[in-house]
Amino acid sequence: MSERRIPLAEPLLGGNEKKYLLECIDSTFVSSVGPFVRRFEEEFAAQVGNRFAVACASGTAALHVAMRLAGVEPGDDVFVASLTFIASANPIVYEKANPVFIDSEAESWNMDPGLVVEELNRRARLGLKQPRAIEVVHLLGQPARMEELMDACERHGIFLIEDASEALGATYTGGAFDGKQVGSIGKVGCFSFNGNKLLTSGGGGMITTNDPELARRAKHLTTQARLPGLEYRHDEIGYNYRLTNLAAALGLAQLEKMPELLASKRGNAAFFDQALASLRGLSVGPRTSWSAPSNWLYSITLNPDIFGRTSRETIEFLQAESIEARPIWSPLHTQTIFSGAALLGSGKVAEKLFAQALSLPSSAGLTAGDRDRVVAAMTRAHETAKKAALTGESR
Ligand SMILES: *Cc1c(COP(=O)(O)O)cnc(C)c1O
């Protein structure tokens, strides 16, 4: 058997990528100066629904700059979801602040607003120092519950950062933020254009905001905090976090195809939701009445007692059929490097999701044949496990 290996998520390049990259080379604008950076920023801001966007070298860099914009200082607390990629938390530590991890809620898999509100009220009552910032992550394409968080941040004067790296294009469909996209609601939104994200620039990120002063300062920090003028004067410690014109060219070409990429992701999800519905013990990821997820990584949970295999056993089963599936992120409160960090909630919701969930192939370029192979393999994983159970074999 030499069936094509189906990867978890691969980029889909088929628009103006080559043309724009050749324009960079022909014009010699290949580095951090050039027209594509400005165009990518302007068109990205318009797409997300913010006034400003500032391009960065990576999503992690965007989050690091966001910490500086929030005024995060050594010893400050910053609340962040536990169930997320480590890039959400590392920038907190870059500023020598303390991440306070928040357990998930089962409905959206994201930061539980109830835990946050309770803790902010407790601190206010006791006169304790509030967190400098709250970083809400929209995991795997699913918007987090924002209304309570925004309310609480406004009431207590806390800077709200959205890590929208995994959810570009996901939208609220009701309530106070009806029609708004993730990343356009908090003080700043952060995005990633890593190779596996909805759009890729080869590597890169973006900060979005409606505040002209925050946008100005973000650009300043990403460009070594250099002052205008000839003499290389700098008024604070900045970074070389610029995006190259080459990367912006790629990103812009991808942005032009975003409606198509998003439609493909949602098409994959609609297909899998339907095709996998009959497998007992399998539940699809968050589906809420108040959001339209981007379905960046199509994720499910398995109840091993009913499905017949654990999520990890199923990943191995798919691997043997040349289909790549992966666990979701290890909750950060369980990582050794964060063993001293505070946790709000028991962490059990995040831990259970981590144990039971897996992500299936989710590329925008997935073919009908690919999707059928995934469904057939998942069905076999279930059926063969059931048979083994009936004949008394152990799993
Ligand atoms: C991908 C990702 C980032 C940042 O990614 P970079 O690889 O630095 O571009 C941040 N947070 C989350 C949740 C991510 O998935």
Side-chain angles (χ1 to χ4, degrees):
M1 253 197 343
S2 61
E3 275 184 312
R4 186 180 90 94
R5 179 170 174 278
I6 305 176
L8 187 76
E10 63 184 344
L12 184 64
L13 311 169
N16 285 322
E17 289 86 350
K18 198 182 271 180
K19 173 164 173 269
Y20 291 172
L21 286 171
L22 287 175
E23 277 179 39
C24 292
I25 291 165
D26 290 340
S27 70
T28 76
F29 284 119
V30 292
S31 191
S32 306
V33 174
F36 282 114
V37 177
R38 172 63 63 83
R39 275 180 68 191
F40 188 32
E41 288 175 336
E42 286 176 358
E43 294 187 26
F44 190 84
Q47 165 60 48
V48 170
N50 269 136
R51 286 178 64 199
F52 307 100
V54 176
C56 295
S58 68
T60 311
L63 285 164
H64 187 194
V65 169
M67 294 303 148
R68 292 284 305 270
L69 296 177
V72 170
E73 290 182 354
D76 282 342
D77 282 349
V78 176
F79 289 7
V80 64
S82 177
L83 188 61
T84 182
F85 181 49
I86 199 154
S88 301
N90 280 345
I92 300 169
V93 182
Y94 298 163
E95 290 305 313
K96 301 188 165 48
N98 308 314
V100 175
F101 295 117
I102 317 291
D103 199 2
S104 300
E105 46 123 14
E107 189 190 17
S108 72
W109 297 12
N110 288 309
M111 176 184 277
D112 184 340
L115 294 171
V116 173
V117 170
E118 195 185 324
E119 175 66 7
L120 296 183
N121 289 341
R122 188 187 72 89
R123 290 185 182 203
R125 220 169 37 239
L126 299 176
L128 300 174
K129 191 177 168 194
Q130 296 287 8
R132 179 70 59 183
I134 293 181
E135 181 189 340
V136 59
V137 184
H138 306 287
L139 201 71
L140 304 166
Q142 169 59 45
R145 266 170 52 197
M146 279 289 278
E147 284 183 39
E148 297 98 317
L149 292 172
M150 280 288 283
D151 271 1
C153 283
E154 271 162 27
R155 210 167 38 244
H156 298 285
I158 297 168
F159 195 101
L160 197 144
I161 298 165
E162 287 180 81
D163 181 354
S165 303
E166 301 186 0
L168 173 61
T171 306
Y172 290 88
T173 57
F177 304 122
D178 188 23
K180 281 198 176 272
Q181 288 180 45
V182 296
S184 72
I185 297 169
K187 285 265 191 221
V188 297
C190 296
F191 295 86
S192 163
F193 310 118
N194 184 32
N196 62 356
K197 299 285 159 62
L198 182 73
L199 310 185
T200 186
S201 60
M206 198 74 86
I207 300 173
T208 57
T209 182
N210 285 327
D211 183 327
E213 178 51 26
L214 289 177
R216 186 203 62 76
R217 181 119 192 281
K219 187 53 119 181
H220 190 57
L221 286 169
T222 60
T223 51
Q224 304 281 26
R226 183 181 167 185
L227 296 168
L230 280 176
E231 292 186 333
Y232 295 98
R233 309 298 300 182
H234 309 261
D235 62 350
E236 59 182 323
I237 298 298
Y239 315 95
N240 179 9
Y241 278 170
R242 296 169 300 180
L243 190 71
T244 66
N245 200 50
L246 279 172
L250 196 62
L252 180 68
Q254 287 265 285
L255 185 62
E256 292 169 352
K257 288 171 59 80
M258 183 171 142
E260 197 185 309
L261 296 170
L262 200 52
S264 301
K265 293 274 185 187
R266 287 175 170 159
N268 288 339
F271 178 87
F272 284 140
D273 275 6
Q274 219 247 327
L276 300 174
S278 63
L279 302 184
R280 290 185 60 245
L282 181 153
S283 305
V284 301
R287 300 287 178 267
T288 73
S289 59
W290 44 267
S291 68
S294 69
N295 300 116
W296 169 61
L297 279 190
Y298 183 82
S299 304
I300 56 173
T301 56
L302 298 178
N303 179 335
D305 297 333
I306 304 174
F307 185 77
R309 290 177 200 273
T310 65
S311 65
R312 306 306 188 258
E313 289 164 350
T314 304
I315 289 168
E316 277 176 34
F317 186 94
L318 295 173
Q319 179 67 36
E321 306 222 0
S322 297
I323 295 169
E324 186 185 11
R326 283 197 206 167
I328 61 170
W329 313 120
S330 284
L332 296 181
H333 73 268
T334 67
Q335 305 262 4
T336 317
I337 47 167
F338 290 127
S339 59
L343 169 71
L344 292 186
S346 67
K348 295 288 179 248
V349 181
E351 286 170 32
K352 185 172 174 198
L353 287 167
F354 171 63
Q356 295 201 338
L358 68 150
S359 302
L360 295 174
S362 303
S363 303
L366 220 55
T367 65
D370 292 338
R371 299 200 296 210
D372 287 341
R373 266 179 63 198
V374 172
V375 171
M378 283 300 294
T379 307
R380 263 197 306 280
H382 177 56
E383 297 288 322
T384 56
K386 219 168 46 185
K387 232 172 261 156
L390 285 175
T391 57
E393 288 170 43
S394 65
R395 280 209 309 270

